[in-house]
Amino acid sequence: MGLLAVNARNQFQGRIQEIIEGPVVSEVDVLLPSGLQVTAVITTRSVHELGLRVGRDVVALVKSTEVSIATL
């Protein structure tokens, strides 16, 4: 399946900066060219199946049904 087949309008190219592996889920930090960071929480199994590693170029696909904001 190519990226065109994915139903996510927000696609951000970046480079994996850090992976924090857990027994079931892992955090994958992706640094964008703008300097912003996107963090994805995915299964550790997916980290291994996708061959993710620090320094690898990836595309962060963002699809959200809700964004919440709280006041300080």
Side-chain angles (χ1 to χ4, degrees), residues 23-38:
V24 178
V25 294
S26 297
E27 295 178 36
V28 180
D29 295 334
V30 178
L31 184 62
L32 306 180
S34 66
L36 295 174
Q37 179 177 293
V38 175

Side-chain angles (χ1 to χ4, degrees), residues 17-49:
Q17 185 175 29
E18 182 178 14
I19 299 174
I20 302 171
E21 277 196 33
V24 178
V25 294
S26 297
E27 295 178 36
V28 180
D29 295 334
V30 178
L31 184 62
L32 306 180
S34 66
L36 295 174
Q37 179 177 293
V38 175
T39 301
V41 177
I42 65 174
T43 64
T44 300
R45 181 179 191 172
S46 292
V47 169
H48 295 287
E49 288 178 356

